[in-house]
Amino acid sequence: MSDGYGFTHHSAAYDSTVGIQAETVHNSNVYFVHPDASPEEKYRVGVRLLENGIPSRAREMFTDAITHGYDNAEVRFHWVLAMLSARAYHDLDAEEVQGLHHASGLVRAYAAGEWKDALHLIFELLAMLSAADGGDTGRVLERLRDLPLHQSEAILRHLDLVLSGGLKDDLWAENRERAKADRFGNDRIRRIWAYFEPDPIGPRALPPGPSTADAAQAAFPIRAALFAVSSALLWILALVADPAEAVLELLVVLGASWTAARFGREWWYQEARPDVATEPPVSDPAIAGDGFTKRVRSSFDHYFAIRAPHGFTTHDWLAHTAHVRSSLATEIALLYRESRIAVDRVNWLIRHLAEDARDRHNSGTLFDHHPRDRTPATAKAVSVAALALLGLAALNMLGTAASGAGTSQTPLAVLAAIGVGWSGRAAATSWLEVRREERRLARETRNYENSMTERQIAYRKWKSLLDATRPTEPEMETWLTCDKVLFIDEALRHYQLTWRDLITHTILVTPARPYKRGRARGGPWRYSRHSFRLFLVTQDGVREISTEFDFTDGKRGNEQRSNYRFDSLSSVQVTEDIRTGYDLELVLTNGPARNIRVKDADAHQLAPDENAEEISEINLNAAGFVHTFRLLEGIAADGKGWIERNNPGKIPSFHAAD
């Protein structure tokens, strides 16, 4: 199956993820157009699209605005730039050329001003392309230089493939110097890393677990009532038998009970609560072996390793914190283990937790979150003694009650004592369990609130840094354009060519692995590493120069050059696989086929409101692919015949209206 460009679709296996370190889609509204947007609003979005290197979408916005009545010199100026941006004049079809002629006739009707002057100048430049003597280039160039800077720069940038020959020679030195000045402007090297950082996902923490004391809380009133009735009966029997003895025994029981509760309660809480009761189980089958969990653990290992405290080697610190890392990694995996959430989006939190662990180690509190039994030995001894005394006092009270009125009270006293023993233990257990759960919930709630506060602060700090540092779309596009201009200039110097020597040129910008990539929602992918492939077409043949650019610092390497005649390029084939991306295959008669990866697949990175075909077209246009493909396809099909038909001297005549 093929599409409008003659692409062949297939499903060849190809590992499109090798070398991709991160993929980031910024949740930006810079390209968003509301369905009910006014024509003027659509025009404004179109301007942003054009400035940011998306002329195909900009043309749609401008055409829509004009169709709905928003038409003036400023709108038409940008519409013409969008029509010609990233395209040679030969790339325009008959309808588009006719549209330009129609627009040139409208200029006279627009209100006078800088936009009308700039629009009129564009049409004069187009008319000069086909003029036999080149026209009055000096006068036109002087007028171009007199335009406001934002207009003249826009014309030079978007008419790059249209202007040629002596006209472009006269402008090239200024273009080159401007690129040198702007290439590292706006603190590019310090800021560009932030563009490829993903938008962080918000902070989360493990909430308190649900209470497990419902059954104990429900049983406590019944058990307490039974204990009260049994105790009262036993004491009344003892009081009847020997009032003085019964009062003394009651005081001892009450005192021993209070002492046992006072000193034994904390001990019971410590013994009943495991050291890691609030930690998620590391072997939880829901996350064991999960790919996301493995990546989380790997990220924890990485950040703990590079944030080891002073005095620890990386190996020793990782060994020392193995349990802490495992617990934290399990927590993060449980909190963020959901569809389409990349680990990169939670690395800010993992980094914060690694720094927190280092700081807690330095303060001596690394292992204080779940303290072991800290009940003093004296408290334990007092508690045991109080329980022993309570038991003896209860037995004495039973003896006193059983001794009254002969032996007639003995069965009733024994029955009351059994009730006291069973219900007392059951009521105490229920009460302690309810209190333990209350304490646990209070402790976990406090820990949760503290964790959320700390993580909120870390999140806001990281997000503020990203927002303040991340380059804008126009800045990214400007830096890329400057890199391309200087690369082309160096190639011209190397081959000792001028623009007069060129029939045409094209540059293909593709990803160079390994890379990070990012984009604003609705915009093209931008890569941390690019491969520039420049084709210079002269009367003697094609000169091809390729190099790899590190976009973060502008450094380049792995440069290759090759030259071939027009008849050496036998065919051009493009293959597409929705799982892998686009590949361009050049077949030369005197060598093996050359495969060029144009772009990687991106369907899995689309937002719900994005159209896959539209985003694919945006990326192909941003790469310069459409013009490159048409150029190479034409040369492969017609050889010298293509050159004769597309020679700058044979550009169809364009007459700008007065």
Side-chain angles (χ1 to χ4, degrees), residues 186-401:
N186 295 328
D187 213 0
R188 168 181 173 175
I189 293 179
R190 190 187 66 84
R191 295 174 55 218
I192 201 170
W193 64 269
Y195 187 87
F196 303 104
E197 285 291 324
D199 293 326
I201 193 168
R204 302 174 187 175
L206 282 178
S211 175
T212 59
D214 291 345
Q217 193 163 14
F220 175 73
I222 299 175
R223 294 174 177 178
L226 181 59
F227 174 73
V229 171
S230 301
S231 299
L233 177 59
L234 181 61
W235 185 71
I236 290 172
L237 292 175
L239 186 65
V240 170
D242 189 338
E245 187 75 14
V247 170
L248 179 62
E249 291 167 346
L250 178 62
L251 293 175
V252 172
V253 166
L254 292 176
S257 298
W258 181 88
T259 302
R262 169 69 177 79
F263 291 95
R265 182 175 55 188
E266 292 295 330
W267 185 14
W268 190 88
Y269 291 152
Q270 293 290 344
E271 292 296 326
R273 178 171 62 86
D275 186 44
V276 292
T278 60
E279 295 181 1
V282 175
S283 59
D284 190 332
I287 62 174
D290 177 73
F292 176 76
T293 303
K294 291 179 180 178
R295 291 190 292 273
V296 167
R297 293 187 184 282
S298 177
S299 189
F300 266 102
D301 291 345
H302 168 72
Y303 284 110
F304 267 74
I306 64 177
R307 281 164 172 74
H310 180 70
F312 273 88
T313 65
T314 297
H315 179 270
D316 290 342
W317 178 242
L318 291 178
H320 184 67
T321 59
H323 177 73
V324 172
R325 289 198 327 278
S326 178
S327 174
L328 291 173
T330 304
E331 176 188 351
I332 298 305
L334 286 172
L335 290 172
Y336 292 97
R337 183 179 173 268
E338 56 191 60
S339 176
R340 300 172 71 90
I341 295 297
V343 174
D344 293 333
R345 296 190 63 194
V346 295
N347 273 342
W348 70 270
L349 178 54
I350 296 174
R351 182 169 54 247
H352 163 71
L353 293 174
E355 294 170 351
D356 179 64
R358 177 197 60 197
D359 295 342
R360 286 193 288 114
H361 165 79
N362 292 338
S363 64
T365 60
L366 178 59
F367 301 105
D368 280 357
H369 280 314
H370 301 292
R372 293 189 180 276
D373 184 5
R374 294 181 177 178
T375 305
T378 54
K380 293 181 179 181
V382 171
S383 178
V384 170
L387 288 173
L389 182 61
L390 176 62
L392 290 175
L395 289 175
N396 284 336
M397 185 177 291
L398 172 61
T400 302

